[in-house]
Amino acid sequence: MLNISPKSVTKMVSRRNLSSLRYVESKKSGKVFIKILIGLSFLLFLTLLLPWTQNIQAPGTVTTVRPDQRPQTIHSIIAGRIEKWYVQEGDFVEKGDTILFISEVKDAYFDPELLPRTEKQLGSKQEGVKAYNEKVKALTAQIAALKETSKLKLEQTENKLRQAELKIATDSIDLEAARINANIAEEQLKRMEKLQQEGLKSLTDLESRKLKAQKAKAELISAENKLLTTRNELLNAQVEIVSLETQYRNAIAKAESDKYTAMSNMYDAEITVNKMENQLKNYSVRAGYYYITAPQSGYVTQAIQSGIGETIKEGSEIVSIMPSEYDLAVAMYVEPIDLPLIEKGQKVRLQFDGWPAIVFSGWPNTSYGTFGGKVFAIDNFISPNGKFRLLVAPDPEAEPWPEALRVGGGARNMLLLKDVMIWYELWRRFNGFPPDYYKAASPQKPAEK
């Protein structure tokens, strides 16, 4: 083989006859291309040094800040039959306005005079309670009178007993005196008989002495009889005391038994009165449920039950209402791995459905058609979709949200994290590292003087 160098070939070729070669060699495109590559490389290097805002993107829906501002469904407390509608879908209703009227379907409430008749029954039972109460008072007074009478009677009988005891003492003394007199008369009679036998006393004196002796014996027997009578009176007084105590004890026990019976009947009547009052109140409240009213001001969005004569059950959904005044918010769902990076007060950029936007991820300040928000609530439990829910409220420092937003609309959200360089963000994503931890700046408290 021949070794031919490029220089030798160039010398051997005649450029005079090769016009195309002369045209190509006259172009400087290679140098320009090199310069373009250098410029693009330099521009790419500068781009890698630009700031980039780390973010977490998640879908969301428009909702309200407060639960009572969200769409709600009105239910029927009682079962009934639809009789008349007072509104139609799209109407605005104030709080307390009547939406529809239902009639009763249970036979226990068919009576149109149910409330007045229940009130009459309640009044009769209340009068019965008053009568039992008066009876209890009367029996209480009767028991007090019986106790007072028994006390007086017992004192009277005890006085008789004391008198009998004193009389027994007196009769005992009289009996002893009569016994002494009888003994003396007997001794005198014996002496008189001895003297009469000796002739010292006459027969007349002897007979007089016998008469006195007989009289002394009679007085002794009379004293003994009187003592026995007094002792019998003592026994009668004791028996009378026991009889009085038994008699009044039985009378008081019977009166107390009647009193407790009356009290028991009174308590039963009071229980019946309370039940009837509760029943009357339930009837009154139930009558108020025939007219279904709006719990708050808003717009009637959908009539779930329709027609006249349709029967509904307890707790059935009847109509849905959207409150007229509400504060919008966005509910967004983030992955559990991103939850530790989120705190209250963190800024969010939102793109609502129906509002065109030019979004530059990582450069929220150059995104157009997006709106600002702040995280104001974070759920402490996971949602059924396996993510954690965040609530985002409008950012007062950013542009206001569109007035035409409606609850339930969709939104695309970018949760803003830490500002880093683009090269760092590319390196982080290439290595699969999570975003940097971001902590919202807490407001500084004024220093205490």
Side-chain angles (χ1 to χ4, degrees):
M1 289 182 65
L2 297 175
N3 286 327
I4 302 174
S5 63
K7 292 182 179 181
S8 61
V9 173
T10 303
K11 292 179 179 180
M12 294 173 61
V13 175
S14 177
R15 287 182 175 82
R16 184 176 303 173
N17 299 324
L18 300 175
S19 58
S20 297
L21 180 61
R22 291 197 309 269
Y23 177 76
V24 171
E25 289 181 348
S26 64
K27 295 293 183 179
K28 300 181 179 180
S29 57
K31 297 180 180 179
V32 174
F33 180 71
I34 293 174
K35 291 180 180 180
I36 291 175
L37 288 179
I38 294 174
L40 291 175
S41 300
F42 182 73
L43 182 62
L44 178 61
F45 177 76
L46 293 179
T47 303
L48 294 176
L49 298 178
L50 291 177
W52 180 273
T53 301
Q54 293 178 321
N55 57 81
I56 299 173
Q57 299 187 18
T61 56
V62 180
T63 181
T64 60
V65 175
R66 296 171 52 185
D68 58 351
Q69 296 176 345
R70 297 168 188 171
Q72 58 181 301
T73 303
I74 300 177
H75 298 75
S76 175
I77 305 299
I78 61 175
R81 179 174 179 268
I82 298 176
E83 296 292 342
K84 185 177 181 181
W85 284 90
Y86 293 92
V87 297
Q88 62 183 1
E89 293 181 353
D91 285 352
F92 176 79
V93 292
E94 294 286 349
K95 181 179 180 180
D97 287 352
T98 302
I99 296 178
L100 76 157
F101 171 72
I102 61 175
S103 60
E104 194 60 67
V105 294
K106 292 187 177 180
D107 55 356
Y109 308 101
F110 281 165
D111 187 3
E113 301 296 327
L114 183 61
L115 288 178
R117 289 176 182 174
T118 306
E119 289 178 352
K120 289 182 181 179
Q121 295 176 3
L122 178 60
S124 300
K125 284 296 181 180
Q126 289 175 342
E127 292 298 326
V129 172
K130 291 181 181 179
Y132 282 123
N133 191 21
E134 293 299 326
K135 185 176 181 180
V136 170
K137 291 181 180 178
L139 290 172
T140 302
Q142 181 181 355
I143 292 171
L146 286 173
K147 289 182 178 179
E148 188 65 24
T149 304
S150 66
K151 182 180 179 181
L152 296 176
K153 285 288 186 180
L154 287 174
E155 288 181 356
Q156 183 181 5
T157 308
E158 287 175 354
N159 291 335
K160 288 183 180 180
L161 180 64
R162 182 60 180 166
Q163 290 175 357
E165 291 176 349
L166 294 175
K167 193 174 181 181
I168 287 175
T170 302
D171 292 343
S172 298
I173 293 173
D174 293 341
L175 176 61
E176 188 65 25
R179 186 177 288 110
I180 293 173
N181 289 333
N183 293 331
I184 292 173
E186 186 68 27
E187 293 294 330
Q188 288 178 354
L189 178 61
K190 290 179 179 180
R191 287 195 298 270
M192 184 60 70
E193 289 177 349
K194 187 176 181 181
L195 291 174
Q196 195 272 334
Q197 291 176 359
E198 292 176 355
L200 297 177
K201 292 290 183 179
S202 63
L203 183 59
T204 302
D205 294 334
L206 177 61
E207 291 176 350
S208 176
R209 182 59 60 184
K210 286 183 178 180
L211 181 61
K212 289 183 179 179
Q214 289 296 328
K215 185 177 180 181
K217 288 181 179 180
E219 291 178 353
L220 176 61
I221 294 172
S222 176
E224 289 179 351
N225 188 27
K226 187 176 180 182
L227 178 61
L228 292 175
T229 302
T230 305
R231 287 178 176 174
N232 190 30
E233 291 178 356
L234 177 63
L235 293 175
N236 291 336
Q238 292 175 345
V239 171
E240 185 177 1
I241 288 176
V242 175
S243 177
L244 284 174
E245 289 178 348
T246 304
Q247 177 184 354
Y248 281 99
R249 189 182 297 113
N250 293 334
I252 291 173
K254 184 178 183 304
E256 288 181 344
S257 176
D258 294 341
K259 174 184 174 181
Y260 292 134
T261 302
M263 290 176 65
S264 177
N265 294 332
M266 182 182 69
Y267 294 146
D268 290 339
E270 287 180 349
I271 292 173
T272 305
V273 167
N274 292 333
K275 289 182 179 179
M276 295 190 68
E277 288 178 347
N278 186 19
Q279 190 176 20
L280 178 62
K281 188 65 176 178
N282 290 337
Y283 290 162
S284 301
V285 174
R286 186 180 181 89
Y289 289 141
Y290 296 153
Y291 290 92
I292 298 177
T293 59
Q296 59 179 323
S297 301
Y299 294 91
V300 178
T301 58
Q302 182 184 6
I304 301 173
Q305 304 289 341
S306 60
I308 300 296
E310 185 175 351
T311 302
I312 56 178
K313 298 181 180 180
E314 297 92 341
S316 298
E317 297 179 349
I318 298 177
V319 67
S320 60
I321 290 181
M322 178 62 200
S324 58
E325 296 181 0
Y326 49 84
D327 298 324
L328 291 177
V330 171
M332 57 179 295
Y333 296 87
V334 299
E335 298 288 344
I337 192 174
D338 297 329
L339 187 64
L341 307 176
I342 303 170
E343 289 193 358
K344 292 183 180 180
Q346 206 160 334
K347 292 184 178 295
V348 183
R349 299 301 298 181
L350 306 105
Q351 178 190 356
F352 299 109
D353 289 348
W355 277 263
I358 301 175
V359 181
F360 293 94
S361 178
W363 292 311
N365 295 330
T366 58
S367 298
Y368 298 95
T370 60
F371 300 89
K374 280 188 175 182
V375 177
F376 78 93
I378 304 174
D379 283 353
N380 292 325
F381 56 91
I382 198 166
S383 301
N385 59 3
K387 298 180 181 180
F388 286 89
R389 190 186 67 150
L390 310 179
L391 287 179
V392 180
D395 188 355
E397 300 177 356
E399 63 280 358
W401 290 5
E403 296 182 359
L405 276 180
R406 293 293 182 266
V407 176
R412 294 183 59 192
N413 314 294
M414 290 189 301
L415 191 66
L416 306 183
L417 301 176
K418 188 176 181 181
D419 291 336
V420 298
M421 296 293 182
I422 290 181
W423 67 267
Y424 177 81
E425 180 68 11
L426 294 175
W427 173 82
R428 178 189 71 80
R429 290 179 180 273
F430 180 77
N431 289 278
F433 294 157
D436 291 352
Y437 182 74
Y438 172 85
K439 187 173 183 181
S442 58
Q444 296 181 355
K445 297 182 179 179
E448 298 181 358
K449 295 184 180 179

